Amino acid sequence: MYDHHTKKRRRRAPSALVAVAAAVPVAAAAVTGWLVWAAPDGSASHRAGGGASPSASASPSVSRTAPVPPASGAPASPSPSAAPLAGKVVVIDPGHNPGNFQHTEDINETVDIGTHRKECDTTGTATQDGYREAAFTLDVSHRLREVLRARGATVVLTHDADRPFGPCIDERARIGNEAGGGAGADAVVSVHADGSAVGNRGFHVILPGLVKAGAADTAPIVGPSRTLGERIAAEFARSTGSAPANYLGGGTGLDVRKDLGGLNLSTVPKVFVECGNMRDPKDAALLTEAAWRQKAAQGIAEGISTYLLG
């Protein structure tokens, strides 16, 4: 997520490879095992911290658990053990957009994030071999969606590569704030991969800092967001075997930020998950493996679940 770290540079590619990851419904029983998704092989794009204007986007992609007609004598709804997250709304925010490379002028326009104005979005980072962050975030987000749906949650994606670029960081926040029929999501997770220096390894979860300026007031969400982040960090490490980042967070896997529009403008618990460093060869080898991405999705899902279930 280039725009989120001072050590990252904005990448402008001469052309874009648009990767569209198709969301394929998977039965709950199948989700119990590892899901195998075809990994997008193309570009990564990302609007720097915000959301596109409503006129620039289609409605967010919504995935709901499909109702299954009950067998004779069976209960009409799943039992709590079969669908523990029934009634919960989770918003997944895949960082960047594969089309951002083709719309640099649009994503460079600034939006208000409360404390200051910031670019609508960025292109994101990529591995040395060209596997782009936007492709990675979509793939992990699709896997995460299926795990959560199998547990009964209603899942909303901020985008599914179904729009030319974006959404901007302010719109991404707004989607989470307005999910669930306007009541707001129970949890929002923005999926990313870092673009730091070689030798910097590991994952970290970004938490909102205390901000009150303009349209931003994070006071109500700082506490619950930290709890959400701590749960995800613990389960992510357990599922993937990855260590917390060795270059920030003091070994905790947690980093507090006040400069991200997606967090500043959120009114519901929200965190960013940086799954690893795409610029480090060892981390990149993990991020490009489908089996590891499934473990990453599983870990994030476990963290969300333990948070929502208390």
Side-chain angles (χ1 to χ4, degrees):
M1 63 196 309
Y2 282 154
D3 62 312
H4 300 316
H5 296 277
T6 56
K7 58 173 70 72
K8 297 180 182 178
R9 297 182 296 108
R10 181 181 302 280
R11 298 169 62 86
R12 293 199 181 187
S15 62
L17 296 175
V18 180
V20 179
V24 181
V26 179
V31 179
T32 312
W34 293 126
L35 300 178
V36 179
W37 288 84
D41 60 354
S43 58
S45 316
H46 179 106
R47 281 193 154 182
S53 62
S55 61
S57 67
S59 59
S61 175
V62 181
S63 298
R64 300 180 184 274
T65 303
V68 179
S72 177
S77 58
S79 66
S81 60
L85 299 184
K88 301 295 185 181
V89 178
V90 179
V91 170
I92 303 171
D93 178 28
H96 314 287
N97 182 317
N100 282 3
F101 280 105
Q102 296 177 321
H103 295 273
T104 54
E105 184 175 347
D106 296 297
I107 67 173
N108 284 337
E109 292 186 9
T110 62
V111 297
D112 187 356
I113 67 167
T115 54
H116 60 289
R117 296 188 68 83
K118 196 168 184 177
E119 293 89 344
C120 161
D121 206 355
T122 62
T123 57
T125 189
T127 67
Q128 298 287 358
D129 293 332
Y131 181 52
R132 295 177 176 173
E133 184 183 358
F136 171 83
T137 64
L138 277 172
D139 183 77
V140 172
S141 294
H142 287 156
R143 295 169 186 272
L144 175 57
R145 174 175 62 184
E146 295 310 315
V147 177
L148 293 173
R149 288 178 65 195
R151 298 180 182 187
T154 294
V155 181
V156 179
L157 296 187
T158 58
H159 78 95
D160 199 4
D162 51 358
R163 54 191 295 164
F165 61 90
C168 291
I169 49 181
D170 57 341
E171 184 183 357
R172 290 175 188 260
R174 189 162 58 249
I175 291 170
N177 297 343
E178 297 176 356
D186 294 291
V188 183
V189 174
S190 190
V191 180
H192 289 270
D194 209 352
S196 189
V198 174
N200 289 346
R201 297 197 61 195
F203 72 90
H204 65 279
V205 181
I206 303 176
L207 314 175
L210 184 59
V211 173
K212 187 173 178 60
D217 182 2
T218 61
I221 69 164
V222 166
S225 295
R226 172 169 284 275
T227 301
L228 173 62
E230 289 173 344
R231 300 289 175 84
I232 291 176
E235 296 297 340
F236 190 92
R238 182 177 295 111
S239 179
T240 63
S242 294
N246 62 7
Y247 57 101
L248 48 71
T252 65
L254 303 174
D255 184 33
V256 177
R257 300 280 295 273
K258 297 182 179 181
D259 61 326
L260 304 183
L263 295 181
N264 286 4
L265 300 177
S266 182
T267 59
V268 295
K270 181 175 183 178
V271 300
F272 282 46
V273 180
E274 296 279 2
C275 297
N277 177 18
M278 295 195 112
R279 306 304 292 173
D280 178 81
K282 293 180 179 179
D283 266 14
L286 298 175
L287 298 169
T288 53
E289 288 182 359
W292 188 91
R293 293 195 298 273
Q294 183 62 38
K295 293 178 182 178
Q298 192 74 32
I300 296 171
E302 291 293 344
I304 293 173
S305 297
T306 58
Y307 167 76
L308 294 178
L309 296 175

